[in-house]
Amino acid sequence: MTTTPQPTEADARRVAVGAFVGTALEWYDFFLYGTAASLVFNRLYFATGDPVVATLAAFASFAVGFAARPLGGIVFGHLGDRIGRRACLLITVVMIGAVTGLIGVLPTFADIGVAAPVLLTLLRLLQGVAVGGEWGGAITLAVEHAPPGKRGRYAAMPQIGSPVGTLLSSGAFLLVALLPPEDFDTWGWRLPFLAAFPLLGVALWLRRRVEESPLFDRLLAEDARASAPVRDVVAHAWPALLVGAGSAVLGVGGFYLATTFVISYATGELDLPRPLVLGATLVAAVVEIGVLILGGRLAERFGAARVTVVGGVLSAIVALPMFWLLDTRNAAAVVFGVTLGVAALSVPYAVSGDLLARLFPARVRYSGIALAANLAGIASGFVPLAATAVLAAAGGSSWAPGLLLVGIALVTVVSGLAAPRLYVPDTELTTEGVAGRAGRTG
């Protein structure tokens, strides 16, 4: 029998840092588009006589990135389970960094007409493909390197890339939003996108230092890889796929409702200053980092599924109060409301990677995690669009998007309750015995 050395904790930390930095860049780029969709793209790329229609069109292009994520999950999930996790993560980080930088030099509707929104949407689609393959690989690599008993904290490391990406993207836009309006529209908004190029260099350097998963090395040595991992997941692990997607939908879709949609709602419907609303997302992101760290530790003590259920219930409770606080138009209340909403939904997001990793065996784990997360991503990408539509249908009353957030939270609660019944054995998270169970999922 081939012996695969267990990774040391130093190895695990290096992998976790590499996963975190790469994921932070990925989410910086992805979130940047959401912020720009609220503040820039609706006016410069989807120019119409109706502000609501322009915003809907901008959010529709935002949703395209999520619709493309399953394609990335399929392609990179297959490659990650066949040729290795590390190689795929190098490809995805290069893709999204390059695409985001190109958005920064894209001419507007006034320059090239209808080609502008078409090209913008195409670049967003490529962003979605890259992100669709990125997160599943980062989680898989982090979990498979983690020491037993400490998987919760290591699985939370790529998650911390999300608020850091928010801090970077919102902070960048907060700075350029201080420019005179004409400078902001002409060139200021492009600077955060162009910054993706140097950030890509840093992320790529760190990713190249990350070693391959020891579990994948074991599967490779024993010739125990799945020949068609995506097919195996869909055919044999579809209950885990659905439960995993449901458990992840609040952390992604709820987040975009509490940030991307709230930015549009607060600056449009409530006429609040852009710096105030962007500042609120920055405060929320800082608090979220603490919640994610705490959530990872709680998962080690109480289990990822229980933490998911508690986080879903908390999010349902605070959904409407978050909007009531926004509606006061009081600066402190606005900041507290956004922070409260994001903190609550960050609880299940903190343990999402740990929970998903436990739903799929090693030979199809990359594919399983990527597909589950991206199924959630499809729905999540349309959340700002749906929230805008229900807000308009409700005559501008915030109870409508608030109830939408309650519904998303309840989906995650039900999925968290169902997840433990579908967990794979703990031995599937270490190198011992992985090859011997190669046929379990087809």
Side-chain angles (χ1 to χ4, degrees):
M1 178 177 291
T2 303
T3 301
T4 302
Q6 289 285 349
T8 65
E9 190 150 0
D11 294 331
R13 284 195 295 268
R14 183 166 59 250
V15 170
V17 170
F20 155 71
V21 173
T23 304
L25 172 63
E26 302 276 353
W27 289 122
Y28 166 78
D29 296 343
F30 210 64
F31 293 161
L32 203 61
Y33 193 102
T35 304
S38 302
L39 301 178
V40 178
F41 295 156
N42 56 333
R43 296 181 293 105
L44 299 185
Y45 287 87
F46 300 94
T48 69
D50 188 334
V52 174
V53 173
T55 300
L56 286 171
F59 281 156
S61 73
F62 175 75
V64 164
F66 287 89
R69 284 175 60 172
L71 176 60
I74 291 171
V75 172
F76 290 106
H78 175 84
L79 294 175
D81 285 325
R82 290 293 302 166
I83 68 172
R85 286 74 156 114
R86 179 179 178 272
C88 291
L89 291 178
L90 290 173
I91 296 171
T92 57
V93 78
V94 170
M95 277 184 65
I96 197 168
V99 166
T100 302
L102 289 175
I103 292 176
V105 298
L106 187 65
T108 65
F109 185 89
D111 297 321
I112 60 173
V114 72
V118 170
L119 290 173
L120 180 65
T121 303
L122 176 61
L123 290 173
R124 176 61 174 177
L125 186 147
L126 293 175
Q127 262 194 343
V129 170
V131 170
E134 157 67 24
W135 187 82
I139 290 293
T140 301
L141 206 58
V143 168
E144 291 182 349
H145 274 88
K150 295 184 178 181
R151 295 188 189 104
R153 69 191 70 185
Y154 283 99
M157 282 294 289
Q159 307 297 73
I160 298 173
S162 171
V164 169
T166 301
L167 282 170
L168 291 173
S169 60
S170 294
F173 258 100
L174 183 60
L175 289 175
V176 296
L178 300 176
L179 293 168
E182 59 274 13
D183 290 339
F184 176 81
D185 285 353
T186 303
W187 55 267
W189 70 269
R190 299 181 182 274
L191 298 180
F193 286 90
L194 294 174
F197 286 129
L199 291 174
L200 170 60
V202 175
L204 186 58
W205 177 75
L206 285 168
R207 279 279 168 90
R208 286 175 60 87
R209 300 176 67 241
V210 170
E211 297 177 359
E212 182 56 86
S213 160
L215 271 79
F216 181 80
D217 284 341
R218 174 66 177 272
L219 293 171
L220 188 63
E222 298 287 342
D223 194 23
R225 293 168 296 164
S227 59
V230 173
R231 183 197 62 194
D232 287 354
V233 169
V234 174
H236 302 288
W238 61 266
L241 190 62
L242 294 179
V243 167
S247 70
V249 73
L250 175 60
V252 183
F255 178 83
Y256 283 114
L257 195 152
T259 54
T260 301
F261 170 74
V262 161
I263 290 172
S264 175
Y265 172 72
T267 58
E269 194 76 22
L270 302 181
D271 199 29
L272 292 172
R274 283 183 299 187
L276 168 62
V277 184
L278 291 173
T281 65
L282 289 176
V283 173
V286 172
V287 172
E288 184 184 7
I289 294 173
V291 174
L292 294 177
I293 294 172
L294 176 62
R297 300 300 178 92
L298 291 175
E300 294 170 1
R301 182 168 182 180
F302 300 107
R306 290 180 182 175
V307 177
T308 297
V309 171
V310 171
V313 171
L314 286 174
S315 296
I317 292 172
V318 307
L320 288 171
M322 177 183 72
F323 281 98
W324 296 339
L325 289 165
L326 290 172
D327 290 343
T328 66
R329 292 182 170 86
N330 176 273
V334 168
V335 173
F336 180 69
V338 174
T339 302
L340 180 66
V342 170
L345 60 88
S346 296
V347 175
Y349 185 68
V351 303
S352 181
D354 188 7
L355 188 150
L356 289 175
R358 294 176 184 276
L359 289 173
F360 303 99
R363 65 194 299 267
V364 297
R365 180 165 292 132
Y366 196 139
S367 297
I369 293 176
L371 288 175
N374 289 309
L375 281 176
I378 293 176
S380 299
F382 291 92
V383 165
L385 183 64
T388 302
V390 298
L391 179 70
S397 177
S398 64
W399 64 262
L403 288 179
L404 178 61
L405 181 55
V406 171
I408 294 171
L410 293 180
V411 170
T412 289
V413 170
V414 172
S415 300
L417 291 171
R421 301 178 184 180
L422 300 171
Y423 280 176
V424 298
D426 283 347
T427 49
E428 289 285 357
L429 295 166
T430 64
T431 56
E432 281 83 5
V434 169
R437 288 173 295 281
R440 178 168 296 170
T441 59

